[in-house]
Amino acid sequence: MDGLESREATSAGRVRPFTVDEALTYSPISSIVPFAPEVIPLPTLQPHQSTPLLPSTDERSAATRALQSLNQQTYQSNGSSPALDGTLHDLQSLLDPSELTLFQFKTPPKPVPEPSRPITSNGLSNLHDPFPQLGSFADMVLRSTKVQFRYPSPTSPTSSPQPKRANASQKPHSLTPDRNLKNDNDGTFAANAQQQGSHHGLPTPEKESKKAAVLIPQLPHISYNEYQTFPVTGAGNDRGQSAASAGDDGILSRGLDEREKANVALNGLQGLLSDIFESEDQLEPDTSGAVSTSAANLFVPGTWSEGRTPVLESAVQIKVESSMRKVILAGRFDEISIDDLLRVQKLSEGALSHGETEGLRLDNEWSEEDVERWILRVDGMSIALRAARTILRTMTGSRKEKQLYSEELLQGVLNVLKSSLDSCVNPVAELRGSGDTTATFRLLQSHKKALTTVLTQSDKTLRLLTDLLQHEEVSETVITTIEFVTTGLIFVENAHSEKDSILGVQKFETLRVTAMGALIEIFANCPDQRTFIIDEILTSLERLPVTRQAARHLKLLEGGNIQLVSALIMRLVQTSTLVAPPAQERGLKPLSLANGSVDEGSDDEEAQPAVPERKINVVIDIKREDAKDPAFLREDLAQMCQPLLDSAQRTAHHVIQFLVTRALKSTKTGDDPYRVLLDIFAEDFVTVLNYSDWPAAELLLRTLLTSMVNITEGDKSSAPAKNMALDLMGLMGSAISDVIVQTRTLSKSFERSNQGLDGYLSQLIEEYLEGDSRESELLVWQGPYGAALASLRSNRTDDGRIASAEGYLISQWASRVCAVLDGTENENDGDRTIETFSDVMIRLKRMIRDIRQVDVTSNLDPVSSNQGRLGYALVLLTLPLCKAFERILLILLNSMNSDQATVRSKSIKSVVQLLEKDPAILDRGSWVMRSIVQRTYDPSPLVRDSAVGLLGKCLALKPDLEVKFWNDVLARTTDTQVGIRKRSMKILKDIYLRDSQKDVRSAIGEALLHRIKDTDDGVSELARQLFEEIWILPFHRPVGSDEETVQYRLALTEQAFLMVQTVQRGESVASVLESLLQTVLSNESKQAAANFRVCKSLVAFMFDETLDVDERSERPARQHILQTLTVFAKANPKLFDASQLELLQPYLGNLTKNDDLHVYRSIVVIFRWVIPRLSGFKPTFLTAVQGTLLASLSKLGKKEINEVVPCLWTINGILRNIERLSRTTISCIKGVYAARETDLTQKPELVARVIKYMTIAGLFGKYCDFDSDLARFRAEFPWWKGDSVSGLIVTVFAPFTRPKAPKAVRSAALSGLAAICQSWPKEFHREQVYTAYDVAFSQDDRDLQHIILQGFKDVLVQEERRSDRAQDDSDGDGETGGGRLGGSMTATQHDGIVSSLAQRFLQHIVRIATSTQDGYALSAAEVIASISRQGTLHPKECGAVLVVLETSQNAAIAGLAFREHRALHQKHETLLEKEYMKAVQQAFAYQKDVIGDARGATTHPYTAKLRPLFEVIKISKGKVRRKFLTNLCTRTDFDLSKVDAKDDVPPHLLFTRFLTENLAFFDYAAVDEILHVMSSMERIVAGTGTSIAHAIELEVPRVSAQLPDVLDAEAGSAPARDAVGDVPRLRQLTLACVILSTIWNTRCFLRQLYGLSSLSKQRDSKGKLSAKDLTRAPSKVPGVTGDKLWDSNSVFMSALEDSAAMTARCKLFVEMLAIDEDFKGAADGDDVVDPRLATPSEEEADEMRGPPSGSGKGRKRKAGMEVAGKGNKGRKRRRSMSKGKSATDESNDEDWV
């Protein structure tokens, strides 16, 4: 039995596999090598599986649909129609026996498969019988075609020779159908190949064919070299048009594979439409009323009843739209029947109308059930959008039938799109996870997928609309609708983070980008709509978010984000350079996917990637253009390019002008967003400035720069406008610097070559940097422009952005070429230049003309990305914007000298922006640095702060400049402004770390040390921090690391020497350094242990240097090192060792030279502070030291003795040998006592000895307690009956304090008493001490008083420390509230000493403090401050004098008084408030008598002298501040009958000027305070001024001006008196006029300084002022200074010189009252602050009527003190006032500059 029979003999349940020999019998693999492994599978032991005829699912589906379509046509036309006849003819030609391979079949028996239900090609439902027979068309083909075949023996397969085919490129045949042939014959192949039929979904016969073998003839071989390439000629004008769209010829020109795909796509669409239409027909119910179930599956249930148009299911809609897209891309859409397309539109129109009526309005008050119902409607909207896409697909296939382009249908599509955006997408996009929409946001979160689907469908619909706009002409109504829809979508605020967005930030941004593309397409194709689009965008800008994070969502390909609107504006400007195509051309263009998308059918899982659009590369024939005269080329090119560039420039100018105009009227903090938006737009343009695909950024920035330059150079520009201009110019200047730096860096990466584009660009860069670039070299064909355009080509996409950039660059290139040709002066050179650029001009003309149709850049050589970037950078650098860099820099530097402080400050900040990008600016000349340094001394704190910051930036960028300018930074550490001091200190720290010069570091260290005692706590803390960072932290070592490297030792040596050098810079440095070291070594420091190790190492090193005998020039002197060691000893004695002190003992005995005395004193100080804290000293060592010190007492001065005595007492505490000290003290006391009866004035030789004895005895009495050795003293002084040695010393010293004693002796005696009383405060209560002090104070001897004050200070400081220690002890025990009494309840001799001294001597101390500003006054001020701190007296006793001392010119006195006053005010505000008017009066007297300046302010800058007082009062509430200001204003008022005008300069005039100038220059905390002051001044002038003016008119001759109608009845009834010869009366009236004019001028100045109009005008324009406006901090008008007020007040003082001047002043005052409208309003009682918000309460009003506290009774004025809201009553004048304006400046409140 052979193999076949054995196989048939197997059981029916399982088929025996073929053997290899059996398989080879039936397989061609035995004779040929298969060309495709999937065609003929390799033999396998598995059961045989038949290979599909069409392996691809799409191919099988397309074949089935095509055959079904032909079957339908055969059935409908009864087999006779032109289409069927043509198809049948084509098939018969393909089935010609002479052209076919002879198939010889031999089919083995095969089990019959179980019946299965086949699936149709479209995958929707089975619309045919389970076992379909041969179709009608296939049956017709079978009957009309004769194909012969035979069944030979399996063992002898034969083949007949095949003739050659005409097409040499055709592939060999296989068992599967030839993919390069049309698929219309698929049914015939399926009928003959029965084994494969069931796998294709095609009709097959019921019987299976027998086993077959196929013999395929050998085709001739064709090598690759035989292929030929033909150029594309006669290319069409349609951009992106593929050859396939040209009809049959185009199909033939395609590759066979592309034709097959096109056939599959076409057949698939036709089959799908056939199924849908057939199903629609079956929707009609039969006689039983039933509807076919299979047909109903394609439509939405319930949509076909009652005659309604059925709505396709969503999946079907997707399939239809996707199939249409494939056919359109294949170029076969013209082959679809117009009736089918109209029927598809009709089917889609039903869903469209359903979507138009769907209500999707979202309500924030909905419940979860409401949202669920709403989501169902959203799903319906998704179906409507898919239907809209299908309709648009039918319109975007370049069909010429007008019936497809129904405007009504298109309007329906727009309505659906608009409804989905306005009702669903946009509201959902604006929902946020916080705020009022939180609840709705959370409810919709779970429906994100459904909402995202609507978003995606809306995006795709909008893309198709964009395609339609690009290729078809639509009505203006449609265009307008699209404009409004897209504009509204662009300005919807997107979320700035994904968590706040339901739709997704980037997904929604993609939709907005699509909207931008649609709007740009309208802009490009409809020039008449351009103005409207631009205006619509600009007027919608206020809807943009003003936060940069929320505004920028558009991601750039190069990185970074910008605003979508910024990109839109740039695209519009660039698009302006593209020639708008005629409408008839748009109608003939084939469509491509918008934005190059290939996934429009992404809803269809089987959708294949679309064939990308191909661009025709046109080779420009230069020779053909040469026939034209080159002389005319330039003119033609200019006529082409210039209008396009002009259009772009007009668009840019319109946009910039709109933004600038709005920005000038708004602020960054105001309600209008345009100021912030202008910054955002400018920043976006700067971001893309160096990107070649955004060339419009340069034009926009150039236009903006022109506007900003005009503002800065305009004389009438306001300061805010100039600030805005300087800010933006700094931004643009920094961008230009960035381009220069990047270009320089990029050029360095190129190899320096003399060949190729690299070499050419490198040469151009070098020439540009050297300032020798030539315009003509930049414009050659393969130059910078060519490189930039070629680079754009490599990144080209189909979204239009690159095309618009190309168009802009080409037009710009052409314009510059024309400009170069125009600028050629020599005729011969011009001819040569024209010839040189002839080819370039020809190419540019063609490129401008064809930019929208073909790839015009295809003639450029490819370039690398770096070459493209460098080429565009060169283009950019040679454009006007970058060329203006020098002018920008010059304007910024010149603006530093502006009259307006804010402008100066802003210019400095703008220069900083430039320096950050390119520090090389500083190399342009020394004048740059001089301009910057000059501003560090500017009167304006704002300018100084900016200048110091800029100077620090310059020094950081150019450290070489530090040598010249570090002193200027150092000087700013003492600036009056806290911020400037802090900034300077930080800069100094950086200089310190960079500069290794010892002098520089020492000076910086001293400056930082002085700031530790700064009045501001923040400055002090910063100084401590910086000191620790530069002096301590660098020397920290890890814990446990004791090894010191050589580098560490060297650094430590340098630091130690630096500290020694710093200590020598001043006496105050040592004390500050001591307190600083105590701080860094205290337990409160976080790094106390590490700091201790560093300081201990420094001490050890300095000890070694002290003992080193080698002489080194760099080492400081021994005495200086020891002086520095004393600082460490006082700070922390534990830094020393006992062995170190023992090494210092030999230096105590050497006092031969003056230097030795300094060494001696330092060693004694170290012993004094270290010995008590250390143990381990040998008694012999201490005894020797004690002896040495006692022996040297007679040789020492007072300073040294003051150190030796406490050291001796310290050693005595260890040795316990007090007798040696007692004997020394007794000896000195005896020496003093012996001279008690001696007239020392007659024996001057005894004076020095007595003084020495007093000094030693007084200091021993101060530091030593001899009460334990009291018997020894009584034995030596038997006449003494006291109980303490201190009392003995006081008794002995008291006689020498009498006036008869020499002054030196008196000074020594008083100093001794002070020393004794400091340690033994009970001695202060002795009558002898009081008497001595009273005598010294009464004699007004400054030196003696200073000694007493110093003694008081020491006592008070000691008491403060004792009180603090008691408080600390109380806190340590856990007690609270103990205060000064918390330490002990036992009375001591210290109790009551402070109050006793204050009560007895405070008046003398205050007199000394307020009589001078020298060191004596400082000592007195320190005593007063200490008394105030201890709170032993009533606050008012010290409050007034502290206010006075705050006005001192001595910074130490003023700072001390201010600190104490502030602390006192915070504790006792109510008590001090009543004393402030008294304090103001005393401050005026202090300024007038002591300082000699009665003015109320200091100049340069203008600062109120009472500013410290007002700063303290600002701590209080607004009520207290207004009351204080009211009292100040009231103090300026007067009673004419009591005014003393006898003095040359009357006191009240000086006092008024003092008060008004303080009021003018106060730093007010709120606007209502200023308005309150103005109101008070107006009331005073209106009340007192009217009566004065009336008296002047009656009494002073030659004053004829008419008075205002506001005179008081009483004033008007005063009898007239004869003024002739009454000079005192005239002087009195003139004085009143000058006082009132001074008040009025101050009021006008305040109004100008703060930009406040009169209150009546404000109320007329805005109504009542809001609380927000009144409580906001006032802002000064830039440029307004106090110069004119200052000068006017000076002029007023000369009005009392003679009668003529007095008469003139009276006349001017009357004219002022008659003319000034503001005065008239004040006189009528209208010009007052809203009593609700700014006027005092009833309680304050009562106080205003009465005299202020601290003064005598005041006079109530009916007009001057009227309660707010009540007008003054007065009779009207009979005569009219003159309407002329006074020629004087005093009454004019304009221009206080």
Side-chain angles (χ1 to χ4, degrees), residues 746 749-750 758 761 787 791 863-873:
L746 186 60
S749 64
F750 278 22
D758 286 357
L761 293 178
S791 176
V863 297
S864 65
S865 60
N866 282 344
Q867 288 174 337
R869 289 171 55 196
L870 189 59
Y872 183 71

Side-chain angles (χ1 to χ4, degrees), residues 1079-1107:
T1079 302
V1080 300
L1081 295 174
S1082 65
N1083 294 330
E1084 297 178 358
S1085 176
K1086 297 180 180 179
Q1087 297 178 325
N1091 294 341
F1092 182 85
R1093 289 195 297 271
V1094 173
C1095 292
K1096 191 171 182 65
S1097 298
L1098 288 170
V1099 168
F1101 173 79
M1102 284 188 278
F1103 255 106
D1104 295 341
E1105 291 296 321
T1106 301
L1107 301 176

Side-chain angles (χ1 to χ4, degrees), residues 72-223:
Q72 183 180 8
Q73 294 183 37
T74 304
Y75 175 78
Q76 294 176 351
S77 61
N78 295 322
S80 61
S81 70
L84 288 175
D85 293 343
T87 304
L88 184 61
H89 179 269
D90 292 340
L91 287 176
Q92 287 176 344
S93 64
L94 292 175
L95 295 175
D96 185 0
S98 62
E99 298 292 334
L100 294 178
T101 302
L102 179 61
F103 293 92
Q104 298 179 359
F105 300 100
K106 183 177 182 180
T107 307
K110 184 178 180 181
V112 179
E114 295 182 4
S116 60
R117 184 180 180 86
I119 301 175
T120 59
S121 59
N122 55 33
L124 298 174
S125 63
N126 187 6
L127 305 180
H128 305 285
D129 295 334
F131 301 98
Q133 302 295 325
L134 198 63
S136 56
F137 177 74
D139 183 69
M140 181 176 67
V141 173
L142 181 63
R143 288 193 299 268
S144 61
T145 306
K146 184 177 181 181
V147 179
Q148 298 184 4
F149 50 85
R150 64 186 180 87
Y151 297 94
S153 172
T155 59
S156 58
T158 61
S159 61
S160 60
Q162 300 295 325
K164 289 185 178 181
R165 302 296 299 264
N167 190 352
S169 62
Q170 186 173 352
K171 295 180 181 180
H173 292 286
S174 66
L175 186 63
T176 59
D178 187 354
R179 298 186 181 185
N180 296 325
L181 299 178
K182 281 192 173 183
N183 288 330
D184 299 48
N185 202 29
D186 289 341
T188 305
F189 276 107
N192 288 314
Q194 299 176 7
Q195 292 183 355
Q196 285 82 12
S198 61
H199 296 280
H200 294 276
L202 302 175
T204 58
E206 292 182 0
K207 296 183 179 180
E208 296 180 352
S209 61
K210 297 182 179 180
K211 181 169 60 178
V214 182
L215 298 178
I216 300 177
Q218 184 73 24
L219 296 178
H221 175 72
I222 300 176
S223 66

Side-chain angles (χ1 to χ4, degrees), residues 379-416:
D379 294 337
M381 179 59 70
S382 298
I383 297 176
L385 288 171
R386 290 190 175 97
R389 288 173 55 194
T390 303
I391 293 173
L392 291 174
R393 282 293 180 195
T394 63
M395 298 181 178
T396 56
S398 299
R399 295 290 292 258
K400 299 178 182 179
E401 295 85 354
K402 296 300 181 183
Q403 56 266 43
L404 285 177
Y405 305 99
S406 169
E407 183 174 350
E408 181 180 355
L409 198 59
L410 186 57
Q411 191 63 46
V413 171
L414 290 176
N415 291 339
V416 170

